[in-house]
Amino acid sequence: MNVIVCIKQVPSLANVKIDLETGRFKRDGIESVINPFDKYAVEEGVRIREKIGGKVIVITMGPPQAESALRETISRGADEAFLISDKIFGGSDTLATSYTLSSAIKFIGNYDIIICGKQALDGATAQVGPGVAEMLNIPHVAHVKKIEFIDDKLIRVERMMEDGYDLIESSFPVLLTIIEGINSPRIPSLRGKMFSKKAIIKTLDAETIGVDAKKTGLNGSPTQVMKVFVTQQQRNYGKKFSGDVKEIAVALVKRLSKLGIV
Amino acid sequence: MVMDYMLSEEEQMIVEIARTIAIEKIKPLRDYYDEKEEFPWDIVKEFAKADLFATYIPEEYGGFGKGVMGLVLVVEELCKVDGAISLSLAATALGAFPILISGSEEQKKKYLPDIASGKKIAAFGLTEAGAGSDATGMTTTAVKDGDYYILNGSKRFITNGGDAETYVIFAKTNHSRGARGISCFILEKGDPGFNFGKKEKKMGIRASSTRELVFNDCKIHKCRLLGREGQGLVIAQTTLDNSRPGVAAQALGIATGALNEAVDYARKRVQFGQPIISFQIIQHMLADMATEIEAARALLYASARMIDSGKVRRTSKESAMTKLFCSEVAMKVTTNAVQIFGGYGYTKEYPVEKMMRDAKITTLYEGTSQIQKNEIALNLIKEYVTKSK
């Protein structure tokens, strides 16, 4: 069972700033961390391997600095990691990212499960996971809260819904996006940390994975950020009733019936 | 900025992992274990998974070969948050050192890998009810009977007692030879005639088990003898040379934790219309605490490096100085931390009262502060006698 986990490096939440001119995150000098949701994805991948064997390969698309995030996933139990990095990938939106990642996954090949966090902490679109599945033409289940059963032929998962959960079965290959709380990510061991320092992280560029330059980066991105602004909260909602309890109750019921609520 | 001790990249990794476990795993449970006096098995498992039991064990026995320095870094970091839970690990080291120092290749291969992996924890049994500072006053005996030894007697105040699987025990094999009549044995939980007595109720380090070990015609094969007959006391002393920095690290960790709490509180606590940290008396107290802690750390790391260099056969004086200084600093710093907190510090609402209770043991076990001074003085005299010859 080979598992590919897609991760993203995001700015540490503690000190995020937005460039109001470009509408993008100011990433310079900001400490980057593994997208918190993706830590659950890595842990779940490692648990699958521990249960039924195989290997866990972690990939990320990003600048060369993203290598440190990949090393961290190796210290957390992943077997291999690839950095998908090329200048032409810069400025990719979710469509271009899904395309680029799916090209890399095709290049790596031989996978049974792809796991993504449910969304990234910064963009929070939750589109890339399902996007990758579509481009690979494989089934996906989003918002997985538990892997209920897995063997070498079948997986059964619980998908979180607003009013409970769905139980979904799938054959392989399949892509899962998983939610926080599905597991408790392990603390890297000393052996894992030492091993991760020495691990060789291979870089895959546009030519290697054979992407169409028109479909990646800014060229391949139909969505562009127009404007970023801070919303003003309206504070004049609500009405305060005063008086004794009976008066307040009467006034409240009157008001609610006037609004057609009761 | 903090003082730079030129830790290697791997030593920094050890610190980082220990810190994460202390904050994520120990902190939420420290009050629970202190209150309930339970052995912290949940957290022991975390230590094992993170390889923290393995730092000081040589690589050929499943460890990382980071020496006494590797051990003290772990203990210090864990004790910044809790001075008791890490004893499961520190006292295991105390039980592992005699095997490391005097064990045969077979004994090392049999016992050390399980200790390194955290599968089994260990304990060290020297003290008896009537033999504390004077270890030679022990009455536990081991009588040879063919290929076996028969042990009788009891050991008191044994850390990890009852919870450990592997025990290193000292017993008299020859009364007439006094200090040279003591031998050292490896015992396993479940050995016939090896039982546990009462568990102590203590002022501090309450998450650590302290039990009596009882030997009633306990029969063990001679392959359990560590070193040769009569070498017991030397093995014990050499073990303490290696393990006392561990106690010092515990003390230093607790002291650092207390300083962190005190600075934090002094910045928030407002009296006379200003945070109490703006008063010079508080600043001077904190400055003294910080300076003594840093001096203690410098001494500890220097001693640990000296032991690990292997250039000298014995480091009794340096180890004793380190343990003496760090433990006395810990007592002073934790007492002053409570003082800065005032009445609140005396309550269980804040962690400093526990830190003060936990710190006290470090001036007592593995030799009281007074015994450390005896050791230091004895070695001083020896050195000066040698010089003047």
Side-chain angles (χ1 to χ4, degrees):
Chain A
M1 183 72 50
N2 286 341
V3 182
I4 294 182
V5 181
C6 304
I7 68 157
K8 184 177 184 182
Q9 236 194 356
V10 295
S12 169
L13 197 59
N15 35 27
V16 164
K17 283 194 183 74
I18 291 167
D19 185 337
L20 290 173
E21 300 271 304
T22 64
R24 296 216 180 85
F25 286 115
K26 287 185 182 172
R27 291 180 196 260
D28 295 343
I30 302 283
E31 188 204 356
S32 290
V33 296
I34 297 178
N35 177 37
F37 300 109
D38 300 345
K39 286 191 184 171
Y40 299 101
V42 173
E43 176 67 27
E44 204 59 27
V46 174
R47 288 186 187 192
I48 290 171
R49 183 200 60 207
E50 285 171 347
K51 206 168 168 191
I52 49 179
K55 62 179 175 180
V56 179
I57 301 165
V58 180
I59 63 171
T60 191
M61 185 179 99
Q65 305 88 280
E67 195 190 288
S68 64
L70 292 173
R71 283 195 194 282
E72 189 182 330
T73 67
I74 288 179
S75 75
R76 290 172 185 274
D79 300 285
E80 271 183 66
F82 292 97
L83 174 65
I84 301 152
S85 190
D86 200 309
K87 282 215 169 74
I88 70 162
F89 299 155
S92 290
D93 68 358
T94 55
L95 186 74
T97 303
S98 304
Y99 167 72
T100 312
L101 286 176
S102 64
S103 306
I105 291 169
K106 278 181 198 160
F107 173 79
I108 296 165
N110 194 23
Y111 57 87
D112 303 287
I113 307 180
I114 301 168
I115 309 180
C116 307
K118 70 164 182 182
Q119 64 189 45
L121 197 65
D122 48 3
T125 66
Q127 289 171 353
V128 172
V132 169
E134 288 309 306
M135 297 209 184
L136 292 170
N137 199 22
I138 61 170
H140 86 265
V141 186
H143 289 210
V144 171
K145 68 183 270 275
K146 190 181 175 188
I147 294 180
E148 204 248 353
F149 173 83
I150 182 167
D151 66 11
D152 55 351
K153 290 181 187 65
L154 181 87
I155 186 165
R156 191 157 57 234
V157 301
E158 293 176 4
R159 173 170 65 187
M160 191 69 181
M161 301 299 283
E162 275 174 4
D163 55 351
Y165 64 86
D166 297 336
L167 201 57
I168 298 177
E169 265 181 17
S170 174
S171 56
F172 300 114
V174 63
L175 184 143
L176 312 174
T177 79
I178 60 164
I179 61 171
E180 64 275 28
I182 188 171
N183 56 45
S184 156
R186 69 194 63 193
I187 293 169
S189 67
L190 186 55
R191 207 170 298 277
K193 261 192 180 241
M194 286 185 177
F195 178 72
S196 76
K197 286 280 162 195
K198 292 174 199 143
I200 295 163
I201 311 279
K202 282 159 270 183
T203 300
L204 305 178
D205 61 9
E207 201 189 329
T208 311
I209 59 175
V211 298
D212 178 349
K214 288 197 287 295
K215 290 190 186 171
T216 189
L218 274 173
N219 292 335
S221 299
T223 46
Q224 308 276 326
V225 178
M226 301 282 293
K227 190 183 170 194
V228 167
F229 56 93
V230 179
T231 53
Q232 297 295 320
Q233 282 194 335
Q234 284 183 298
R235 292 190 172 274
N236 55 356
Y237 284 134
K239 182 169 167 58
K240 193 173 177 185
F241 299 100
S242 55
D244 65 27
V245 176
K246 202 176 167 189
E247 286 165 0
I248 293 170
V250 169
L252 178 65
V253 171
K254 263 188 190 167
R255 177 82 181 151
L256 290 174
S257 57
K258 198 178 164 192
L259 291 168
I261 293 170
V262 293
Chain B
M1 202 53 204
V2 288
M3 189 75 87
D4 187 354
Y5 290 100
M6 318 292 165
L7 297 187
S8 71
E9 197 181 4
E10 289 175 344
E11 286 167 343
Q12 287 173 34
M13 283 179 194
I14 292 173
V15 172
E16 228 174 85
I17 293 168
R19 181 177 301 151
T20 311
I21 290 199
I23 293 168
E24 288 183 17
K25 305 290 179 185
I26 298 183
K27 204 169 180 182
L29 290 171
R30 67 177 170 189
D31 291 345
Y32 172 88
Y33 281 117
D34 183 56
E35 179 72 28
K36 301 282 182 192
E37 298 181 70
E38 275 175 29
F39 195 78
W41 282 114
D42 287 356
I43 296 168
V44 167
K45 282 184 196 139
E46 297 291 340
F47 294 161
K49 277 197 279 180
D51 300 323
L52 293 185
F53 279 105
T55 56
Y56 61 95
I57 307 262
E59 292 176 57
E60 56 266 43
Y61 308 113
F64 291 88
K66 299 296 164 204
V68 171
M69 191 68 184
L71 174 67
V72 303
L73 289 174
V74 171
V75 174
E76 181 193 348
E77 211 51 45
L78 296 176
C79 288
K80 286 179 186 172
V81 168
D82 183 280
I85 289 173
S86 66
L87 274 176
S88 54
L89 185 151
T92 291
L94 178 60
F97 278 128
I99 303 174
L100 270 169
I101 293 164
S102 325
S104 65
E105 197 53 34
E106 288 76 26
Q107 287 168 331
K108 288 179 183 177
K109 278 191 180 137
K110 183 171 179 198
Y111 293 102
L112 295 176
D114 282 348
I115 289 174
S117 70
K119 193 173 154 196
K120 290 181 178 171
I121 64 170
F124 176 88
L126 178 66
T127 300
E128 293 183 5
S133 296
D134 176 17
T136 56
M138 69 174 63
T139 55
T140 297
T141 55
V143 178
K144 195 149 190 199
D145 179 16
D147 282 345
Y148 293 85
Y149 284 94
I150 313 286
L151 272 70
N152 276 293
S154 69
K155 295 286 168 183
R156 192 88 190 265
F157 301 142
I158 306 308
T159 306
N160 288 351
D163 294 299
E165 297 286 329
T166 307
Y167 295 80
V168 169
I169 301 300
F170 297 85
K172 279 200 169 150
T173 39
N174 188 340
H175 265 288
S176 62
R177 296 201 70 204
R180 288 193 175 80
I182 296 171
S183 300
C184 181
F185 301 90
I186 304 173
L187 268 76
E188 293 173 14
K189 196 179 192 172
D191 278 337
F194 176 24
N195 295 299
F196 304 106
K198 75 163 183 159
K199 182 180 172 183
E200 305 294 341
K201 292 184 82 68
K202 308 186 296 294
M203 172 199 250
I205 55 163
R206 290 157 56 97
S208 170
S209 51
T210 312
R211 278 198 181 80
E212 190 183 14
L213 314 181
V214 184
F215 314 103
N216 271 323
D217 287 332
C218 170
K219 191 174 175 183
I220 53 168
H221 191 264
K222 64 179 183 186
C223 70
R224 303 283 193 81
L225 176 71
L226 263 178
R228 289 195 306 275
E229 255 190 45
Q231 280 186 329
L233 200 67
V234 177
I235 296 173
Q237 287 166 339
T238 319
T239 294
L240 293 171
D241 290 352
N242 283 271
S243 66
R244 278 173 178 160
V247 179
Q250 179 197 11
L252 177 64
I254 296 171
T256 310
L259 174 65
N260 293 343
E261 295 290 340
V263 173
D264 197 42
Y265 183 82
R267 292 175 65 204
K268 288 179 191 152
R269 172 72 171 169
V270 174
Q271 288 292 279
F272 305 103
Q274 51 194 311
I276 61 169
I277 202 163
S278 64
F279 299 121
Q280 199 171 45
I281 181 68
I282 300 289
Q283 291 175 5
H284 282 192
M285 283 171 85
L286 293 171
D288 282 340
M289 289 156 81
T291 307
E292 283 175 310
I293 285 173
E294 212 55 69
R297 184 172 290 121
L299 180 57
L300 171 61
Y301 290 1
S303 300
R305 295 269 192 230
M306 179 180 176
I307 296 168
D308 291 338
S309 76
K311 283 180 189 156
V312 279
R313 209 170 54 85
R314 294 288 301 269
T315 56
S316 309
K317 187 184 72 179
E318 292 71 22
S319 294
M321 283 175 164
T322 304
K323 198 241 172 205
L324 169 67
F325 191 74
C326 291
S327 60
E328 292 296 332
V329 164
M331 211 48 232
K332 210 153 58 172
V333 166
T334 53
T335 307
N336 278 335
V338 172
Q339 197 67 26
I340 288 170
F341 272 75
Y344 283 109
Y346 199 66
T347 69
K348 289 189 186 289
E349 199 174 324
Y350 290 95
V352 286
E353 63 83 26
K354 175 182 181 299
M355 289 168 166
M356 186 172 161
R357 286 188 285 114
D358 287 346
K360 187 60 205 169
I361 190 63
T362 63
T363 70
L364 303 172
Y365 62 9
E366 292 192 37
T368 59
S369 289
Q370 290 67 34
I371 287 294
Q372 309 305 320
K373 289 180 190 179
N374 286 0
E375 187 84 47
I376 296 161
L378 179 71
N379 281 283
L380 263 184
I381 294 164
K382 274 192 208 163
E383 280 170 26
Y384 280 83
V385 169
T386 317
K387 267 185 208 163
S388 60
K389 266 183 188 168

